[in-house]
Amino acid sequence: MIKNIDILKSLTILYAEDDLVIQESTSRILKMFFKEVFIANNGNEAIETYQRYKPNILMLDYVMPNLDGYQTAKLIREINKKIPIILVSTYTDKDKLLNAIELNLIRYIEKPILYDDLMNVFNSVISSLEENNLLQIKLDEDVFYSFITKKIIKMNEEIFLTKNEILFLELLLSKANLLVSKELIETNVFEEPVDENTIRNMVYRLRKKLDSKIIVTVKDLGYLIKS
């Protein structure tokens, strides 16, 4: 029995599989549980899809063209240390999976994918999200951020954020207590060079919504969030 199954209905998953028959059958199952399923046909597409949509969970086939599942997971793990990653493998790929231990995977699923195995993995995913504060995180006294609804919760009131505010806040949270440079903000939030005032105005509006001093300006260098 999967715990807190309703949580999955608020989450998105990226599923990368180059075999179109397996992709179609598995994605149908995933769509029963998740808010949205993003599909990639190979490793390069998976990287592009991750960067564009920032899904909550990754499910990657080990053997894919361009980049295999291990290489794809390694690149994404460099960006995001906590996102749950599942590798899908055939029995003969087990030796290769030993290389993936360093990636802190949730686990791997053997093909053909069985329903019970998928349910067990979903349980592990939910536990990982809870343990790593990827569902909701406390920002300040009575101030929280929900990674599910993408809203700030302050004194039990939900506060809406713009797309750029969400991307900026989650970027800071992924690098808590570390400096986030203007260049990194341009790449991950705006996807193009912007002037200083554009960033300052976004930070000013977000600070007002947070009503907190947790976002710190490091003059001429960037920003950081205190945790």
Side-chain angles (χ1 to χ4, degrees), residues 95-106:
D95 289 339
K96 297 178 183 178
L97 290 169
L98 292 175
N99 297 327
I101 292 175
E102 64 184 288
L103 300 179
N104 191 26
L105 302 175
I106 293 296

Side-chain angles (χ1 to χ4, degrees), residues 93-184:
D93 290 328
K94 277 188 173 180
D95 289 339
K96 297 178 183 178
L97 290 169
L98 292 175
N99 297 327
I101 292 175
E102 64 184 288
L103 300 179
N104 191 26
L105 302 175
I106 293 296
R107 60 177 288 184
Y108 74 90
I109 308 178
E110 288 185 14
K111 294 180 181 178
I113 299 174
L114 303 177
Y115 183 84
D116 286 346
D117 290 338
L118 208 51
M119 294 304 100
N120 290 332
V121 168
F122 289 166
N123 268 321
S124 299
V125 164
I126 292 172
S127 295
S128 174
L129 290 168
E130 291 173 339
E131 291 166 6
N132 287 293
N133 292 320
L134 295 179
L135 298 177
Q136 181 170 292
I137 187 169
K138 183 176 182 179
L139 301 177
D140 207 342
E141 196 64 34
D142 294 321
V143 182
F144 298 84
Y145 175 69
S146 170
F147 287 94
I148 307 304
T149 64
K150 306 294 184 184
K151 297 174 186 175
I152 293 169
I153 304 159
K154 186 167 63 176
M155 301 294 288
N156 296 319
E157 176 187 354
E158 289 188 334
I159 299 172
F160 288 84
L161 300 178
T162 66
K163 177 184 176 183
N164 285 348
E165 288 169 351
I166 291 168
L167 292 173
F168 177 63
L169 180 57
E170 292 192 359
L171 175 62
L172 292 181
L173 289 171
S174 72
K175 300 180 180 298
N177 299 310
L178 298 175
L179 176 69
V180 176
S181 67
K182 175 179 179 290
E183 292 73 24
L184 200 58

Side-chain angles (χ1 to χ4, degrees), residues 23-226:
Q23 180 193 105
E24 174 63 25
S25 60
T26 304
S27 63
R28 278 202 306 268
I29 297 173
L30 295 175
K31 287 173 183 177
M32 294 168 56
F33 294 95
F34 290 90
K35 176 182 178 182
E36 191 162 3
V37 180
F38 303 111
I39 302 295
N41 297 306
N42 56 60
N44 285 340
E45 282 188 18
I47 296 291
E48 292 172 4
T49 304
Y50 170 79
Q51 292 174 332
R52 181 175 182 183
Y53 295 106
K54 299 295 190 296
N56 302 109
I57 302 157
L58 304 180
M59 184 170 165
L60 311 171
D61 183 35
Y62 195 105
V63 179
M64 293 188 293
N66 300 322
L67 288 173
D68 64 27
Y70 167 74
Q71 294 169 319
T72 303
K74 188 173 182 180
L75 287 171
I76 293 177
R77 186 58 87 209
E78 290 174 0
I79 303 169
N80 189 323
K81 302 296 185 186
K82 294 183 177 181
I83 185 171
I85 301 177
I86 304 156
L87 275 185
V88 181
S89 164
T90 61
Y91 180 81
T92 52
D93 290 328
K94 277 188 173 180
D95 289 339
K96 297 178 183 178
L97 290 169
L98 292 175
N99 297 327
I101 292 175
E102 64 184 288
L103 300 179
N104 191 26
L105 302 175
I106 293 296
R107 60 177 288 184
Y108 74 90
I109 308 178
E110 288 185 14
K111 294 180 181 178
I113 299 174
L114 303 177
Y115 183 84
D116 286 346
D117 290 338
L118 208 51
M119 294 304 100
N120 290 332
V121 168
F122 289 166
N123 268 321
S124 299
V125 164
I126 292 172
S127 295
S128 174
L129 290 168
E130 291 173 339
E131 291 166 6
N132 287 293
N133 292 320
L134 295 179
L135 298 177
Q136 181 170 292
I137 187 169
K138 183 176 182 179
L139 301 177
D140 207 342
E141 196 64 34
D142 294 321
V143 182
F144 298 84
Y145 175 69
S146 170
F147 287 94
I148 307 304
T149 64
K150 306 294 184 184
K151 297 174 186 175
I152 293 169
I153 304 159
K154 186 167 63 176
M155 301 294 288
N156 296 319
E157 176 187 354
E158 289 188 334
I159 299 172
F160 288 84
L161 300 178
T162 66
K163 177 184 176 183
N164 285 348
E165 288 169 351
I166 291 168
L167 292 173
F168 177 63
L169 180 57
E170 292 192 359
L171 175 62
L172 292 181
L173 289 171
S174 72
K175 300 180 180 298
N177 299 310
L178 298 175
L179 176 69
V180 176
S181 67
K182 175 179 179 290
E183 292 73 24
L184 200 58
I185 295 168
E186 288 176 330
T187 300
N188 288 272
V189 178
F190 297 97
E191 299 183 348
E192 63 180 357
V194 295
D195 59 51
E196 293 283 353
N197 284 335
T198 299
I199 297 178
R200 286 197 195 101
N201 288 337
M202 176 188 64
V203 175
Y204 172 77
R205 291 191 299 270
L206 181 56
R207 280 177 171 151
K208 285 193 69 176
K209 292 179 179 181
L210 289 168
D211 192 22
S212 169
K213 296 180 180 179
I214 60 168
I215 298 179
V216 177
T217 301
V218 182
K219 189 175 180 182
D220 299 327
L221 295 177
Y223 300 87
L224 64 84
I225 195 165
K226 297 186 295 183

